[in-house]
PDB file of all heavy atoms in Angstrom:
ATOM      1  N   LEU A   1    -101.175  22.393  63.587  1.00  0.00           N
ATOM      2  CA  LEU A   1    -100.884  20.974  63.799  1.00  0.00           C
ATOM      3  C   LEU A   1    -101.968  20.104  63.194  1.00  0.00           C
ATOM      4  O   LEU A   1    -101.682  19.072  62.568  1.00  0.00           O
ATOM      5  CB  LEU A   1    -100.754  20.694  65.301  1.00  0.00           C
ATOM      6  CG  LEU A   1    -100.551  19.238  65.716  1.00  0.00           C
ATOM      7  CD1 LEU A   1     -99.227  18.703  65.181  1.00  0.00           C
ATOM      8  CD2 LEU A   1    -100.612  19.089  67.241  1.00  0.00           C
ATOM      9  N   ALA A   2    -103.230  20.505  63.363  1.00  0.00           N
ATOM     10  CA  ALA A   2    -104.351  19.736  62.804  1.00  0.00           C
ATOM     11  C   ALA A   2    -104.289  19.702  61.284  1.00  0.00           C
ATOM     12  O   ALA A   2    -104.613  18.678  60.655  1.00  0.00           O
ATOM     13  CB  ALA A   2    -105.673  20.336  63.270  1.00  0.00           C
ATOM     14  N   LYS A   3    -103.856  20.791  60.673  1.00  0.00           N
ATOM     15  CA  LYS A   3    -103.718  20.800  59.210  1.00  0.00           C
ATOM     16  C   LYS A   3    -102.608  19.849  58.766  1.00  0.00           C
ATOM     17  O   LYS A   3    -102.749  19.135  57.772  1.00  0.00           O
ATOM     18  CB  LYS A   3    -103.421  22.216  58.726  1.00  0.00           C
ATOM     19  CG  LYS A   3    -104.608  23.166  58.849  1.00  0.00           C
ATOM     20  CD  LYS A   3    -104.245  24.557  58.344  1.00  0.00           C
ATOM     21  CE  LYS A   3    -105.424  25.508  58.457  1.00  0.00           C
ATOM     22  NZ  LYS A   3    -105.078  26.875  57.987  1.00  0.00           N
ATOM     23  N   GLN A   4    -101.506  19.828  59.516  1.00  0.00           N
ATOM     24  CA  GLN A   4    -100.401  18.942  59.173  1.00  0.00           C
ATOM     25  C   GLN A   4    -100.812  17.473  59.268  1.00  0.00           C
ATOM     26  O   GLN A   4    -100.360  16.641  58.477  1.00  0.00           O
ATOM     27  CB  GLN A   4     -99.212  19.210  60.087  1.00  0.00           C
ATOM     28  CG  GLN A   4     -98.576  20.581  59.915  1.00  0.00           C
ATOM     29  CD  GLN A   4     -97.440  20.823  60.893  1.00  0.00           C
ATOM     30  OE1 GLN A   4     -97.011  19.929  61.619  1.00  0.00           O
ATOM     31  NE2 GLN A   4     -96.935  22.058  60.920  1.00  0.00           N
ATOM     32  N   LEU A   5    -101.662  17.167  60.240  1.00  0.00           N
ATOM     33  CA  LEU A   5    -102.099  15.781  60.445  1.00  0.00           C
ATOM     34  C   LEU A   5    -103.316  15.408  59.603  1.00  0.00           C
ATOM     35  O   LEU A   5    -103.773  14.268  59.654  1.00  0.00           O
ATOM     36  CB  LEU A   5    -102.412  15.552  61.930  1.00  0.00           C
ATOM     37  CG  LEU A   5    -101.226  15.689  62.891  1.00  0.00           C
ATOM     38  CD1 LEU A   5    -101.680  15.609  64.343  1.00  0.00           C
ATOM     39  CD2 LEU A   5    -100.186  14.618  62.609  1.00  0.00           C
ATOM     40  N   GLY A   6    -103.849  16.357  58.840  1.00  0.00           N
ATOM     41  CA  GLY A   6    -105.011  16.074  57.993  1.00  0.00           C
ATOM     42  C   GLY A   6    -106.333  16.148  58.719  1.00  0.00           C
ATOM     43  O   GLY A   6    -107.344  15.681  58.191  1.00  0.00           O
ATOM     44  N   TRP A   7    -106.353  16.735  59.915  1.00  0.00           N
ATOM     45  CA  TRP A   7    -107.611  16.852  60.652  1.00  0.00           C
ATOM     46  C   TRP A   7    -108.433  18.035  60.164  1.00  0.00           C
ATOM     47  O   TRP A   7    -109.638  18.089  60.394  1.00  0.00           O
ATOM     48  CB  TRP A   7    -107.341  17.012  62.148  1.00  0.00           C
ATOM     49  CG  TRP A   7    -106.639  15.846  62.755  1.00  0.00           C
ATOM     50  CD1 TRP A   7    -106.511  14.592  62.212  1.00  0.00           C
ATOM     51  CD2 TRP A   7    -105.958  15.798  64.016  1.00  0.00           C
ATOM     52  NE1 TRP A   7    -105.800  13.777  63.043  1.00  0.00           N
ATOM     53  CE2 TRP A   7    -105.445  14.489  64.172  1.00  0.00           C
ATOM     54  CE3 TRP A   7    -105.730  16.716  65.029  1.00  0.00           C
ATOM     55  CZ2 TRP A   7    -104.729  14.089  65.290  1.00  0.00           C
ATOM     56  CZ3 TRP A   7    -105.021  16.332  66.148  1.00  0.00           C
ATOM     57  CH2 TRP A   7    -104.525  15.028  66.274  1.00  0.00           C
ATOM     58  N   ILE A   8    -107.801  18.976  59.538  1.00  0.00           N
ATOM     59  CA  ILE A   8    -108.491  20.089  58.891  1.00  0.00           C
ATOM     60  C   ILE A   8    -108.164  20.001  57.418  1.00  0.00           C
ATOM     61  O   ILE A   8    -106.993  20.052  57.028  1.00  0.00           O
ATOM     62  CB  ILE A   8    -108.066  21.453  59.470  1.00  0.00           C
ATOM     63  CG1 ILE A   8    -108.465  21.555  60.941  1.00  0.00           C
ATOM     64  CG2 ILE A   8    -108.700  22.590  58.679  1.00  0.00           C
ATOM     65  CD1 ILE A   8    -108.054  22.862  61.590  1.00  0.00           C
ATOM     66  N   LYS A   9    -109.187  19.853  56.617  1.00  0.00           N
ATOM     67  CA  LYS A   9    -108.983  19.718  55.184  1.00  0.00           C
ATOM     68  C   LYS A   9    -108.702  21.090  54.581  1.00  0.00           C
ATOM     69  O   LYS A   9    -109.525  21.999  54.654  1.00  0.00           O
ATOM     70  CB  LYS A   9    -110.214  19.093  54.519  1.00  0.00           C
ATOM     71  CG  LYS A   9    -110.589  17.726  55.089  1.00  0.00           C
ATOM     72  CD  LYS A   9    -109.468  16.713  54.914  1.00  0.00           C
ATOM     73  CE  LYS A   9    -109.863  15.345  55.443  1.00  0.00           C
ATOM     74  NZ  LYS A   9    -108.779  14.364  55.342  1.00  0.00           N
ATOM     75  N   VAL A  10    -107.532  21.224  54.005  1.00  0.00           N
ATOM     76  CA  VAL A  10    -107.161  22.474  53.353  1.00  0.00           C
ATOM     77  C   VAL A  10    -107.784  22.472  51.965  1.00  0.00           C
ATOM     78  O   VAL A  10    -107.592  21.525  51.192  1.00  0.00           O
ATOM     79  CB  VAL A  10    -105.629  22.616  53.251  1.00  0.00           C
ATOM     80  CG1 VAL A  10    -105.263  23.929  52.578  1.00  0.00           C
ATOM     81  CG2 VAL A  10    -105.009  22.525  54.633  1.00  0.00           C
ATOM     82  N   PRO A  11    -108.581  23.495  51.619  1.00  0.00           N
ATOM     83  CA  PRO A  11    -109.219  23.507  50.297  1.00  0.00           C
ATOM     84  C   PRO A  11    -108.188  23.556  49.184  1.00  0.00           C
ATOM     85  O   PRO A  11    -107.123  24.157  49.313  1.00  0.00           O
ATOM     86  CB  PRO A  11    -110.073  24.785  50.325  1.00  0.00           C
ATOM     87  CG  PRO A  11    -109.449  25.641  51.389  1.00  0.00           C
ATOM     88  CD  PRO A  11    -108.878  24.690  52.403  1.00  0.00           C
ATOM     89  N   ALA A  12    -108.520  22.878  48.102  1.00  0.00           N
ATOM     90  CA  ALA A  12    -107.620  22.845  46.950  1.00  0.00           C
ATOM     91  C   ALA A  12    -107.544  24.229  46.315  1.00  0.00           C
ATOM     92  O   ALA A  12    -108.526  24.972  46.265  1.00  0.00           O
ATOM     93  CB  ALA A  12    -108.117  21.815  45.928  1.00  0.00           C
ATOM     94  N   VAL A  13    -106.365  24.572  45.840  1.00  0.00           N
ATOM     95  CA  VAL A  13    -106.146  25.863  45.200  1.00  0.00           C
ATOM     96  C   VAL A  13    -106.428  25.713  43.714  1.00  0.00           C
ATOM     97  O   VAL A  13    -105.864  24.853  43.036  1.00  0.00           O
ATOM     98  CB  VAL A  13    -104.703  26.353  45.427  1.00  0.00           C
ATOM     99  CG1 VAL A  13    -104.482  27.685  44.729  1.00  0.00           C
ATOM    100  CG2 VAL A  13    -104.404  26.461  46.911  1.00  0.00           C
ATOM    101  N   ASN A  14    -107.328  26.548  43.213  1.00  0.00           N
ATOM    102  CA  ASN A  14    -107.646  26.526  41.796  1.00  0.00           C
ATOM    103  C   ASN A  14    -106.560  27.256  41.020  1.00  0.00           C
ATOM    104  O   ASN A  14    -106.336  28.456  41.215  1.00  0.00           O
ATOM    105  CB  ASN A  14    -109.006  27.187  41.533  1.00  0.00           C
ATOM    106  CG  ASN A  14    -110.148  26.418  42.177  1.00  0.00           C
ATOM    107  OD1 ASN A  14    -110.099  25.198  42.254  1.00  0.00           O
ATOM    108  ND2 ASN A  14    -111.166  27.127  42.630  1.00  0.00           N
ATOM    109  N   VAL A  15    -105.879  26.522  40.171  1.00  0.00           N
ATOM    110  CA  VAL A  15    -104.816  27.107  39.362  1.00  0.00           C
ATOM    111  C   VAL A  15    -105.437  27.716  38.121  1.00  0.00           C
ATOM    112  O   VAL A  15    -106.105  27.030  37.336  1.00  0.00           O
ATOM    113  CB  VAL A  15    -103.776  26.036  38.970  1.00  0.00           C
ATOM    114  CG1 VAL A  15    -102.678  26.665  38.118  1.00  0.00           C
ATOM    115  CG2 VAL A  15    -103.196  25.396  40.214  1.00  0.00           C
ATOM    116  N   GLU A  16    -105.231  29.021  37.949  1.00  0.00           N
ATOM    117  CA  GLU A  16    -105.814  29.712  36.806  1.00  0.00           C
ATOM    118  C   GLU A  16    -105.024  29.381  35.542  1.00  0.00           C
ATOM    119  O   GLU A  16    -103.797  29.545  35.502  1.00  0.00           O
ATOM    120  CB  GLU A  16    -105.815  31.224  37.054  1.00  0.00           C
ATOM    121  CG  GLU A  16    -106.497  32.010  35.951  1.00  0.00           C
ATOM    122  CD  GLU A  16    -106.536  33.494  36.274  1.00  0.00           C
ATOM    123  OE1 GLU A  16    -106.096  33.858  37.375  1.00  0.00           O
ATOM    124  OE2 GLU A  16    -107.004  34.270  35.416  1.00  0.00           O
ATOM    125  N   VAL A  17    -105.716  28.924  34.543  1.00  0.00           N
ATOM    126  CA  VAL A  17    -105.076  28.585  33.276  1.00  0.00           C
ATOM    127  C   VAL A  17    -104.793  29.877  32.526  1.00  0.00           C
ATOM    128  O   VAL A  17    -105.705  30.694  32.313  1.00  0.00           O
ATOM    129  CB  VAL A  17    -105.982  27.661  32.438  1.00  0.00           C
ATOM    130  CG1 VAL A  17    -105.313  27.337  31.107  1.00  0.00           C
ATOM    131  CG2 VAL A  17    -106.290  26.394  33.209  1.00  0.00           C
ATOM    132  N   PRO A  18    -103.529  30.122  32.123  1.00  0.00           N
ATOM    133  CA  PRO A  18    -103.236  31.378  31.418  1.00  0.00           C
ATOM    134  C   PRO A  18    -103.927  31.449  30.075  1.00  0.00           C
ATOM    135  O   PRO A  18    -104.052  30.453  29.360  1.00  0.00           O
ATOM    136  CB  PRO A  18    -101.696  31.327  31.263  1.00  0.00           C
ATOM    137  CG  PRO A  18    -101.349  29.877  31.344  1.00  0.00           C
ATOM    138  CD  PRO A  18    -102.346  29.266  32.278  1.00  0.00           C
ATOM    139  N   LYS A  19    -104.405  32.637  29.744  1.00  0.00           N
ATOM    140  CA  LYS A  19    -105.081  32.830  28.464  1.00  0.00           C
ATOM    141  C   LYS A  19    -104.050  32.879  27.342  1.00  0.00           C
ATOM    142  O   LYS A  19    -102.939  33.346  27.530  1.00  0.00           O
ATOM    143  CB  LYS A  19    -105.887  34.125  28.493  1.00  0.00           C
ATOM    144  CG  LYS A  19    -107.007  34.120  29.531  1.00  0.00           C
ATOM    145  CD  LYS A  19    -107.764  35.441  29.479  1.00  0.00           C
ATOM    146  CE  LYS A  19    -108.878  35.444  30.524  1.00  0.00           C
ATOM    147  NZ  LYS A  19    -109.622  36.724  30.508  1.00  0.00           N
ATOM    148  N   PRO A  20    -104.401  32.377  26.161  1.00  0.00           N
ATOM    149  CA  PRO A  20    -103.444  32.433  25.043  1.00  0.00           C
ATOM    150  C   PRO A  20    -103.175  33.870  24.627  1.00  0.00           C
ATOM    151  O   PRO A  20    -104.072  34.722  24.654  1.00  0.00           O
ATOM    152  CB  PRO A  20    -104.173  31.652  23.932  1.00  0.00           C
ATOM    153  CG  PRO A  20    -105.617  31.718  24.298  1.00  0.00           C
ATOM    154  CD  PRO A  20    -105.665  31.735  25.798  1.00  0.00           C
ATOM    155  N   GLU A  21    -101.932  34.136  24.269  1.00  0.00           N
ATOM    156  CA  GLU A  21    -101.555  35.474  23.844  1.00  0.00           C
ATOM    157  C   GLU A  21    -102.088  35.756  22.451  1.00  0.00           C
ATOM    158  O   GLU A  21    -101.912  34.966  21.523  1.00  0.00           O
ATOM    159  CB  GLU A  21    -100.038  35.620  23.852  1.00  0.00           C
ATOM    160  CG  GLU A  21     -99.417  35.472  25.249  1.00  0.00           C
ATOM    161  CD  GLU A  21     -97.921  35.675  25.208  1.00  0.00           C
ATOM    162  OE1 GLU A  21     -97.409  35.975  24.109  1.00  0.00           O
ATOM    163  OE2 GLU A  21     -97.286  35.558  26.265  1.00  0.00           O
ATOM    164  N   ILE A  22    -102.758  36.907  22.315  1.00  0.00           N
ATOM    165  CA  ILE A  22    -103.354  37.252  21.022  1.00  0.00           C
ATOM    166  C   ILE A  22    -102.263  37.529  19.991  1.00  0.00           C
ATOM    167  O   ILE A  22    -102.410  37.237  18.814  1.00  0.00           O
ATOM    168  CB  ILE A  22    -104.273  38.473  21.169  1.00  0.00           C
ATOM    169  CG1 ILE A  22    -105.405  38.143  22.145  1.00  0.00           C
ATOM    170  CG2 ILE A  22    -104.841  38.921  19.835  1.00  0.00           C
ATOM    171  CD1 ILE A  22    -106.356  39.294  22.384  1.00  0.00           C
ATOM    172  N   SER A  23    -101.118  38.059  20.448  1.00  0.00           N
ATOM    173  CA  SER A  23    -100.049  38.406  19.508  1.00  0.00           C
ATOM    174  C   SER A  23     -99.464  37.181  18.826  1.00  0.00           C
ATOM    175  O   SER A  23     -98.827  37.294  17.796  1.00  0.00           O
ATOM    176  CB  SER A  23     -98.937  39.152  20.249  1.00  0.00           C
ATOM    177  OG  SER A  23     -98.435  38.339  21.305  1.00  0.00           O
ATOM    178  N   ALA A  24     -99.698  35.980  19.410  1.00  0.00           N
ATOM    179  CA  ALA A  24     -99.159  34.779  18.790  1.00  0.00           C
ATOM    180  C   ALA A  24     -99.951  34.357  17.561  1.00  0.00           C
ATOM    181  O   ALA A  24     -99.511  33.514  16.797  1.00  0.00           O
ATOM    182  CB  ALA A  24     -99.132  33.637  19.808  1.00  0.00           C
ATOM    183  N   LEU A  25    -101.141  34.942  17.339  1.00  0.00           N
ATOM    184  CA  LEU A  25    -101.959  34.576  16.192  1.00  0.00           C
ATOM    185  C   LEU A  25    -101.442  35.294  14.946  1.00  0.00           C
ATOM    186  O   LEU A  25    -100.827  36.357  15.033  1.00  0.00           O
ATOM    187  CB  LEU A  25    -103.418  34.963  16.448  1.00  0.00           C
ATOM    188  CG  LEU A  25    -104.102  34.258  17.629  1.00  0.00           C
ATOM    189  CD1 LEU A  25    -105.485  34.845  17.839  1.00  0.00           C
ATOM    190  CD2 LEU A  25    -104.189  32.768  17.375  1.00  0.00           C
ATOM    191  N   PRO A  26    -101.675  34.750  13.744  1.00  0.00           N
ATOM    192  CA  PRO A  26    -101.280  35.448  12.510  1.00  0.00           C
ATOM    193  C   PRO A  26    -102.045  36.754  12.371  1.00  0.00           C
ATOM    194  O   PRO A  26    -103.175  36.889  12.869  1.00  0.00           O
ATOM    195  CB  PRO A  26    -101.659  34.443  11.406  1.00  0.00           C
ATOM    196  CG  PRO A  26    -102.660  33.544  12.032  1.00  0.00           C
ATOM    197  CD  PRO A  26    -102.301  33.460  13.466  1.00  0.00           C
ATOM    198  N   PRO A  27    -101.462  37.731  11.661  1.00  0.00           N
ATOM    199  CA  PRO A  27    -102.113  39.048  11.550  1.00  0.00           C
ATOM    200  C   PRO A  27    -103.512  38.975  10.966  1.00  0.00           C
ATOM    201  O   PRO A  27    -104.408  39.689  11.383  1.00  0.00           O
ATOM    202  CB  PRO A  27    -101.145  39.833  10.655  1.00  0.00           C
ATOM    203  CG  PRO A  27     -99.829  39.143  10.824  1.00  0.00           C
ATOM    204  CD  PRO A  27    -100.147  37.698  11.010  1.00  0.00           C
ATOM    205  N   GLU A  28    -103.703  38.081   9.957  1.00  0.00           N
ATOM    206  CA  GLU A  28    -105.026  38.029   9.324  1.00  0.00           C
ATOM    207  C   GLU A  28    -106.097  37.496  10.259  1.00  0.00           C
ATOM    208  O   GLU A  28    -107.283  37.757  10.067  1.00  0.00           O
ATOM    209  CB  GLU A  28    -104.975  37.172   8.063  1.00  0.00           C
ATOM    210  CG  GLU A  28    -104.500  35.735   8.292  1.00  0.00           C
ATOM    211  CD  GLU A  28    -102.994  35.607   8.154  1.00  0.00           C
ATOM    212  OE1 GLU A  28    -102.329  36.673   8.149  1.00  0.00           O
ATOM    213  OE2 GLU A  28    -102.496  34.486   8.022  1.00  0.00           O
ATOM    214  N   ALA A  29    -105.681  36.744  11.304  1.00  0.00           N
ATOM    215  CA  ALA A  29    -106.676  36.215  12.234  1.00  0.00           C
ATOM    216  C   ALA A  29    -107.205  37.301  13.162  1.00  0.00           C
ATOM    217  O   ALA A  29    -108.232  37.119  13.800  1.00  0.00           O
ATOM    218  CB  ALA A  29    -106.069  35.088  13.060  1.00  0.00           C
ATOM    219  N   LEU A  30    -106.473  38.419  13.251  1.00  0.00           N
ATOM    220  CA  LEU A  30    -106.915  39.497  14.130  1.00  0.00           C
ATOM    221  C   LEU A  30    -107.950  40.388  13.467  1.00  0.00           C
ATOM    222  O   LEU A  30    -108.574  41.204  14.138  1.00  0.00           O
ATOM    223  CB  LEU A  30    -105.717  40.343  14.560  1.00  0.00           C
ATOM    224  CG  LEU A  30    -104.597  39.587  15.290  1.00  0.00           C
ATOM    225  CD1 LEU A  30    -103.456  40.548  15.616  1.00  0.00           C
ATOM    226  CD2 LEU A  30    -105.138  38.960  16.556  1.00  0.00           C
ATOM    227  N   ASP A  31    -108.096  40.290  12.122  1.00  0.00           N
ATOM    228  CA  ASP A  31    -109.064  41.117  11.404  1.00  0.00           C
ATOM    229  C   ASP A  31    -110.417  40.437  11.449  1.00  0.00           C
ATOM    230  O   ASP A  31    -110.633  39.410  10.787  1.00  0.00           O
ATOM    231  CB  ASP A  31    -108.626  41.317   9.948  1.00  0.00           C
ATOM    232  CG  ASP A  31    -107.288  42.044   9.872  1.00  0.00           C
ATOM    233  OD1 ASP A  31    -107.005  42.816  10.803  1.00  0.00           O
ATOM    234  OD2 ASP A  31    -106.555  41.820   8.897  1.00  0.00           O
ATOM    235  N   SER A  32    -111.288  40.950  12.200  1.00  0.00           N
ATOM    236  CA  SER A  32    -112.631  40.374  12.297  1.00  0.00           C
ATOM    237  C   SER A  32    -113.599  41.316  11.612  1.00  0.00           C
ATOM    238  O   SER A  32    -113.779  42.456  12.032  1.00  0.00           O
ATOM    239  CB  SER A  32    -113.021  40.166  13.756  1.00  0.00           C
ATOM    240  OG  SER A  32    -112.947  41.382  14.437  1.00  0.00           O
ATOM    241  N   VAL A  33    -114.176  40.889  10.504  1.00  0.00           N
ATOM    242  CA  VAL A  33    -115.118  41.684   9.733  1.00  0.00           C
ATOM    243  C   VAL A  33    -116.521  41.261  10.122  1.00  0.00           C
ATOM    244  O   VAL A  33    -116.899  40.097   9.958  1.00  0.00           O
ATOM    245  CB  VAL A  33    -114.899  41.491   8.216  1.00  0.00           C
ATOM    246  CG1 VAL A  33    -115.902  42.322   7.431  1.00  0.00           C
ATOM    247  CG2 VAL A  33    -113.473  41.872   7.857  1.00  0.00           C
TER     248      VAL A  33
END
């Protein structure tokens, strides 16, 4: 009840940002010399 009324502050949930997919890069970008 206290959470519903704002008497207990619920911590914010950190949304994890998805990492970019490596397969979406061109083939030559994957060759690291």
Side-chain angles (χ1 to χ4, degrees):
L1 176 64
K3 289 180 180 179
Q4 294 177 8
L5 296 173
W7 298 344
I8 296 179
K9 302 300 182 183
V10 180
V13 179
N14 296 326
V15 180
E16 184 177 356
V17 179
K19 297 181 180 179
E21 297 182 3
I22 299 179
S23 58
L25 297 174
E28 58 270 14
L30 302 178
D31 298 332
S32 57
V33 180

